Amino acid sequence: MPRNFEYNGDLAATPLAEILATIHRYRVPGVVTASREKRTRRVFVEDGLVIFAASNEAEMGLASFLLKQGTLDADTAREAEARRARDGLRMGQVLLQMGVVTPERLNIAIAGQIRELLFDTIDWDAGEVRFEIGVRRTADFVRVDLPIPEVLLEGIRRAANVRRLVKRLGSAPALLERTGGPLESLFSEEERRLYQAVDGKTSLQQLCARGPGGLADNARLLYTFYCLGLLRKIRRSAPGAKKIQYRTEGGSLGN
């Protein structure tokens, strides 16, 4: 792949989970930038890991994360933001100077904040996305080294828009087949049993009814297998399958 490679896409057409999975598959270093409605999020990747992520949104920043976690109170968070703006420092540096966190606790907090940012962005159903290849300097930020498969597994589990994920797999009669791979070790025994049920003969509708959780959870799990390259769609479909209804807290979702 050339050093100046750049991918531009639409999250409505290709979800971020699939983009990150492809990057992981080829171990390409670079920066993924997702943006919509003046919000911009950047994900730095290297050797199949998310090494850092950042946003231009104050509500997704470190101070807001620690405020939600109860580590900071509102007054301390406001003071930290004021110091950051005045001194031009990163929030982590400010918090260390204030004695609010230790270096160890800061690293844990940054990793948690980045996870929440990634999980929320994986659920975006629209927006522009760009991937620029190239190794980035790591001296300017705290590396978190989050394996992309683990990020995808948790992010997809939290995804709210189940219907969108299922459409990526096909309609109710769609058939899937296993491709195999070492990433099966990420999953529990019950989840692996659902994976083993994928046989090229059982419809998507039947698989969603067979897994360890509810229909929506099973659909998320099958989509995770698909993203990670553990299964693929095949052209023919099982006959007689009906429309799938995925019941969530907000009601039922059909495909």
Side-chain angles (χ1 to χ4, degrees):
M1 201 174 286
R3 296 287 298 176
N4 62 348
F5 173 82
E6 181 176 304
Y7 164 83
N8 291 280
D10 182 354
L11 292 176
T14 306
L16 180 62
E18 294 176 36
I19 295 170
L20 289 175
T22 301
I23 292 170
H24 171 265
R25 197 167 298 127
Y26 293 100
R27 298 296 199 275
V28 185
V31 180
V32 179
T33 302
S35 57
R36 69 174 186 180
E37 299 170 352
K38 298 183 180 180
R39 292 182 287 169
T40 300
R41 299 175 179 185
R42 304 181 76 207
V43 181
F44 297 74
V45 295
E46 184 179 305
D47 195 29
L49 303 168
V50 172
I51 62 173
F52 191 69
S55 168
N56 66 347
E57 307 152 87
E59 64 271 21
M60 299 302 295
L62 182 60
S64 294
F65 175 77
L66 290 174
L67 186 60
K68 293 173 187 174
Q69 296 291 309
T71 303
L72 296 183
D73 58 36
D75 289 340
T76 305
R78 281 193 292 270
E79 181 183 351
E81 286 288 1
R83 290 194 186 193
R84 183 193 62 77
R86 182 192 67 205
D87 299 336
L89 300 175
R90 289 186 177 275
M91 179 56 68
Q93 294 172 305
V94 172
L95 295 174
L96 287 173
Q97 289 181 357
M98 293 174 64
V100 176
V101 294
T102 64
E104 294 76 14
R105 289 180 65 92
L106 176 62
N107 289 345
I108 293 171
I110 290 173
Q113 177 239 342
I114 288 175
R115 285 179 183 273
E116 292 301 317
L117 178 64
L118 291 168
F119 299 154
D120 188 72
T121 313
I122 284 172
D123 208 25
W124 278 14
D125 57 6
E128 298 176 353
V129 62
R130 182 175 74 253
F131 176 59
E132 301 168 276
I133 193 171
V135 177
R136 297 303 193 269
R137 284 172 49 86
T138 59
D140 298 332
F141 51 77
V142 177
R143 282 186 64 120
V144 293
D145 290 348
L146 304 174
I148 288 176
E150 294 181 13
V151 169
L152 296 182
L153 179 61
E154 183 63 24
I156 294 169
R157 279 175 175 163
R158 297 188 184 197
N161 193 342
V162 183
R163 178 187 297 178
R164 179 175 182 241
L165 304 186
V166 174
K167 284 184 176 179
R168 301 295 295 174
L169 297 175
S171 59
L175 296 176
L176 308 168
E177 63 182 5
R178 300 192 305 273
T179 60
L183 293 176
E184 290 179 48
S185 61
L186 280 172
F187 304 97
S188 69
E189 183 177 346
E190 285 185 331
E191 291 169 338
R192 289 197 295 271
R193 279 201 291 269
L194 176 59
Y195 180 67
Q196 292 300 321
V198 178
D199 57 5
K201 300 176 183 178
T202 306
S203 70
L204 174 59
Q205 177 190 27
Q206 293 168 321
L207 289 169
C208 286
R210 187 177 294 187
L215 289 175
D217 289 333
N218 296 337
R220 291 184 181 97
L221 183 56
L222 288 167
Y223 179 68
T224 304
F225 294 145
Y226 171 72
C227 278
L228 295 177
L230 295 173
L231 59 79
R232 62 189 172 202
K233 298 177 282 188
I234 55 181
R235 291 184 179 278
R236 64 185 186 278
S237 297
K242 300 178 181 178
K243 185 176 182 180
I244 312 174
Q245 295 290 333
Y246 302 96
R247 186 157 296 280
T248 66
E249 292 181 357
S252 62
L253 297 175
N255 73 331

